[in-house]
Amino acid sequence: MAVMLLGIGALHFVAPKPFDEIIPEEIPGDPRTLTYLSGVAEIGLGAGLLVPRTRRLSGALAALLFLAVYPANLNMVRIWWDKPLPYRVAALARLPFQFPMIWAAIRVARES
């Protein structure tokens, strides 16, 4: 989970546009700023998961982060619905994968 968070967090800075585009318009704030903030959070939590002393807190916060970004995943389905089938499948496939990630983060928080 730490490696995933570090990688995805870095991707928010390397290629922010796709992240900007899935942020729901209803969420206040500049999409690029929100993309960067979530990238910082992911990198910070990924690093925190690598340190035994901060692993429990980082796991709990990662679960909250995965819940917080779920509206963007739902929005991705909405905005990709008119795209070719592979895009729709990819957007839909992301939705159920959030739940194992949330559960894994909770397990880290409980077992650390």
Side-chain angles (χ1 to χ4, degrees), residues 21-62:
E21 292 173 351
I22 65 171
I23 295 173
E25 292 177 10
E26 298 80 12
I27 294 178
D30 173 56
R32 180 60 50 93
T33 301
L34 296 171
T35 292
Y36 287 157
L37 287 173
S38 63
V40 167
E42 289 175 349
I43 291 169
L45 292 172
L49 288 168
L50 296 174
V51 179
R53 202 169 89 194
T54 58
R55 188 170 293 137
R56 179 176 292 214
L57 177 60
S58 296
L61 293 174

Side-chain angles (χ1 to χ4, degrees), residues 83-99:
K83 291 190 179 222
L85 182 62
Y87 288 89
R88 291 193 307 261
V89 169
L92 287 167
R94 288 174 57 117
L95 297 179
F97 285 116
Q98 285 293 116
F99 297 106

